[in-house]
Amino acid sequence: MHPGLSTSILFDAKLGRVELPGRERFRVMENETGLAIVPTWALSQGERVLMTVTFEDGAAPASVRFLLVVHASEAARQVVVTRQPRSLESLREGEQRARAEARQCREDKARLETECSGPRGVLGLLAQGLLDEGGIADKNITKNVISRPDNTLKSVKGRSYRLDTGRVEGEREVVRLAVAQQLRNHGSTPWTPGGAVLIGPKGEEWKVLRVWSQEPIAPGNQRNVGVEVEMPEDAARGTFTLKWWGQEAGSGSEHFDGVTFP
């Protein structure tokens, strides 16, 4: 959601109640089967608000929750929600999946905490079991990476990295990938990395584990930035697009095509 821009949410059932904490910071327009939400500038970038919508008919699921996230440059203009009544067995299956996902999140959190608390550098990689006989493969992608014409940032240098994690999830080997870039700011305001996603050959998005940067990139200057992501080994093939967005209000997305891995 973006302050001043409306997001419409349409349902296929009549609404009973809308619970929105801090409602005075939004403009909300409701009717029987939909609502329009306009966040005001009282909300800060990255702020998250949990909204609960309850349906009038009482059928399962009786309600739905939305995590509203304020973004500096992106907003979903329309969301269509189709509710399919579910049996008790289906609800139990959904609960089991949710528990499995929560367990996976806890395991990922524990792994990241271990990585941050242990030794750094080569010893850190050895301690985490990430550095085997093959080591870390790297590839110079400077000439392959294409900065889109509407970008404010241009890629000056680029290198990609790949290493095996030794983990298997869902019978698929997991690899860790990284992209390091040197970006030059051709805009008129400083730019600070706020987040990134890696977009695969089929349009699938892979959220990064972490974003690294030296410092904000001032206009006319260039700095090093990097991202790190994990995915199944068979998904790490082909050509990717790296999409960045900045922390500054009003900064748009920066797209870099042609990213490949060794």
Side-chain angles (χ1 to χ4, degrees), residues 34-102:
L35 63 154
I37 305 173
V38 183
T40 68
W41 290 99
L43 293 152
S44 57
Q45 179 184 341
E47 188 167 350
R48 297 166 181 252
V49 180
L50 184 64
M51 179 179 71
T52 302
V53 176
T54 303
F55 298 106
E56 187 177 273
D57 57 16
S63 63
V64 61
R65 291 183 176 182
F66 299 88
L67 184 60
L68 309 180
V69 182
V70 180
H71 196 280
S73 60
E74 297 183 357
R77 303 308 299 269
Q78 180 172 290
V79 178
V80 178
V81 180
T82 301
R83 187 179 60 148
Q84 297 179 346
R86 300 172 61 184
S87 64
L88 180 59
E89 181 180 355
S90 175
L91 289 173
R92 286 175 176 170
E93 290 178 355
E95 182 181 4
Q96 291 174 354
R97 285 196 300 270
R99 288 180 177 177
E101 291 174 359

Side-chain angles (χ1 to χ4, degrees), residues 47-181:
E47 188 167 350
R48 297 166 181 252
V49 180
L50 184 64
M51 179 179 71
T52 302
V53 176
T54 303
F55 298 106
E56 187 177 273
D57 57 16
S63 63
V64 61
R65 291 183 176 182
F66 299 88
L67 184 60
L68 309 180
V69 182
V70 180
H71 196 280
S73 60
E74 297 183 357
R77 303 308 299 269
Q78 180 172 290
V79 178
V80 178
V81 180
T82 301
R83 187 179 60 148
Q84 297 179 346
R86 300 172 61 184
S87 64
L88 180 59
E89 181 180 355
S90 175
L91 289 173
R92 286 175 176 170
E93 290 178 355
E95 182 181 4
Q96 291 174 354
R97 285 196 300 270
R99 288 180 177 177
E101 291 174 359
R103 183 169 58 252
Q104 183 64 51
C105 287
R106 289 194 296 270
E107 292 174 356
D108 291 343
K109 179 175 180 289
R111 185 176 72 254
L112 290 173
E113 288 177 344
T114 300
E115 293 177 8
C116 293
S117 62
R120 299 183 181 276
V122 175
L123 290 178
L125 295 174
L126 288 170
Q128 297 164 36
L130 294 176
L131 194 59
D132 57 16
E133 294 181 358
I136 301 176
D138 71 303
K139 180 179 182 180
N140 188 338
I141 57 173
T142 298
K143 295 182 179 180
N144 304 84
V145 175
I146 300 173
S147 308
R148 291 192 181 177
D150 57 348
N151 277 10
T152 298
L153 306 174
K154 303 299 179 183
S155 184
V156 179
K157 294 181 181 179
R159 186 169 289 274
S160 62
Y161 302 86
R162 172 194 181 115
L163 60 89
D164 295 329
T165 65
R167 300 200 326 273
V168 176
E169 296 180 1
E171 300 183 354
R172 302 168 76 187
E173 295 182 2
V174 178
V175 295
R176 182 168 295 194
L177 309 172
V179 179
Q181 286 181 285

